[in-house]
Amino acid sequence: MVSEHVTLPPFQALIDEHWRDVARLARALAGPVDGDDVAQRAWEKAFAAYPGLTSARNLRSWLLTITARCATDVHRARRPQTPLDDAPPVAVDGPDAADWPDAHLWQAVNELPERQRFAVTLKYVGDLDHHGVAAALDTTPAASRRLVSDALATLRTRLGVHDE
């Protein structure tokens, strides 16, 4: 089998093209306090893995998947080590009002279960298709569709939006 040499753009070109997407998704998933750290961690992981890539297709999706996984790591680190049965759910601070003017919507998004919150954010903030969302969440595209659908149904109910 003959291996083909993959031509990747310079890493700086990747940063220049996608830094806004990575920063926006990191802040949407991890909140304004941890968003910058998540974005930085994502770029570090991407830089380390970049020379070993075997395909230059869909680098944006690859970066956003790394970003989502870094945000997941932050959320896992926040969880208490022992479960607290009577503890109320803790919502992550959402994006700053300057970045996302609809604070009421983002409060409702922050109250979604973690996988639904990540799925809907990857889909609509990260602009990933269901295959990209599935890759980021280590699930199937069908499960991604279900997570997004359930999240949207919950948001419609909480925000009083009715289909007509």
Side-chain angles (χ1 to χ4, degrees):
M1 181 155 100
V2 178
S3 69
E4 295 180 29
H5 177 70
V6 176
T7 303
L8 297 170
F11 194 73
Q12 184 61 50
L14 192 68
I15 293 171
D16 292 343
E17 185 173 349
H18 300 293
W19 73 268
R20 283 182 184 89
D21 296 331
V22 168
R24 184 176 61 200
L25 183 62
R27 292 193 80 188
L29 291 174
V33 174
D34 293 317
D36 292 340
D37 290 338
V38 166
Q40 181 65 35
R41 204 168 299 133
W43 285 114
E44 289 169 359
K45 288 183 179 282
F47 182 74
Y50 198 63
L53 284 180
T54 58
S55 173
R57 290 185 51 219
N58 211 351
L59 293 173
R60 179 179 179 275
S61 180
W62 174 74
L63 285 169
L64 296 181
T65 296
I66 292 171
T67 305
R69 290 183 178 159
C70 289
T72 299
D73 292 345
V74 166
H75 287 288
R76 286 183 181 144
R78 285 186 191 147
R79 289 186 186 153
Q81 296 304 317
T82 43
L84 303 174
D85 293 333
D86 297 329
V90 178
V92 178
D93 290 337
D96 289 339
D99 293 336
W100 305 93
D102 194 343
H104 185 65
L105 169 63
W106 281 101
Q107 181 60 38
V109 170
N110 285 331
E111 293 170 357
L112 291 170
E114 181 178 283
R115 288 183 58 83
Q116 286 182 16
R117 183 176 67 244
F118 274 44
V120 79
T121 303
L122 287 164
K123 176 78 174 134
Y124 294 105
V125 176
D127 197 29
L128 294 179
D129 62 16
H130 286 292
H131 290 282
V133 173
L137 297 177
D138 281 332
T139 191
T140 65
S144 163
R145 282 184 193 86
R146 183 60 189 221
L147 286 166
V148 171
S149 176
D150 290 350
L152 293 176
T154 300
L155 290 172
R156 284 186 192 104
T157 299
R158 288 185 182 166
L159 298 173
V161 176
H162 304 287
D163 293 331
E164 296 190 21

